[in-house]
Amino acid sequence: LFEVRDAAAPERVASLTAGTTLHHDVDRDGQYLLRVQPELLRSVRYTMVQRTLASLPFPVSGQTAKDVQSAFGAERDAGRRQHEGIDIFAARHTPAVAVVRGIARPGTNALGGNVVWLRDPFSGRSFYYAHLARAAFEGTSRVESGEVVGYIGNTGNARSTAPHLHFG
């Protein structure tokens, strides 16, 4: 599997060395080229299936993508800043869940109010849960994917809005 970028030569991002399933997690939008090369002088029939799966579980229990009401990059404060996350609206105290296994740390700040930072030590990614009514624990904790990290609220600069999770 090759990623094709601009005028550069395709860059190999994955290959099948054993087995029958090629798996690749795409970390950015782009064009990809799949080359299939059978053994020389052999006639082979292939069946290929491409599946696109969510890379993370949904961070709010019982909610779906229809509950996302504010997109990443939307203008805020008359264009002075951009929204660095998505807003998922839900009833107050609906559980917000960990999207990965990792280290969770609750805190507070002016914009997010009650927040939880979740760090995935395997990929190095961090996830931000803001406007929580409260965190589900005190102090830094190890959490599993799907474990409750907090409860939906409208703290911080969201005091005048309906309860929601700002997820970034």
Side-chain angles (χ1 to χ4, degrees):
L1 180 65
F2 296 85
E3 183 176 10
V4 180
R5 279 192 262 156
D6 304 319
E11 177 184 339
R12 185 173 64 201
V13 294
S15 49
L16 186 62
T17 55
T20 60
T21 301
L22 176 67
H23 178 97
H24 177 67
D25 289 328
V26 176
D27 59 3
R28 63 177 169 256
D29 287 346
Q31 292 183 351
Y32 293 85
L33 170 67
L34 177 64
R35 287 195 178 140
V36 179
Q37 181 175 339
E39 187 175 335
L40 289 175
L41 304 174
R42 301 276 318 251
S43 177
V44 178
R45 176 174 278 194
Y46 291 98
T47 300
M48 289 193 279
V49 177
Q50 183 267 327
R51 289 188 179 99
T52 302
L53 305 172
S55 58
L56 297 171
F58 205 73
V60 181
S61 290
Q63 305 304 110
T64 65
K66 70 174 178 48
D67 300 301
V68 176
Q69 300 295 317
S70 184
F72 190 92
E75 285 190 359
R76 293 289 193 264
D77 297 330
R80 289 191 302 274
R81 65 183 179 94
Q82 289 186 319
H83 193 234
E84 294 184 7
I86 60 173
D87 289 339
I88 304 166
F89 287 80
R92 186 177 309 280
H93 303 297
T94 299
V97 298
V99 295
V100 294
R101 177 196 313 168
I103 308 299
R105 181 178 46 86
T108 58
N109 64 51
L111 284 178
N114 296 324
V115 303
V116 170
W117 281 98
L118 173 60
R119 178 152 173 78
D120 177 356
F122 304 104
S123 71
R125 297 177 298 178
S126 290
F127 302 94
Y128 178 65
Y129 297 73
H131 307 312
L132 300 170
R134 66 180 176 86
F137 51 86
E138 292 182 21
T140 301
S141 299
R142 291 187 183 278
V143 296
E144 295 295 322
S145 180
E147 188 173 333
V148 176
V149 297
Y151 299 93
I152 305 302
N154 62 339
T155 59
N157 70 349
R159 287 181 300 277
S160 64
T161 68
H164 66 278
L165 172 67
H166 170 94
F167 180 71

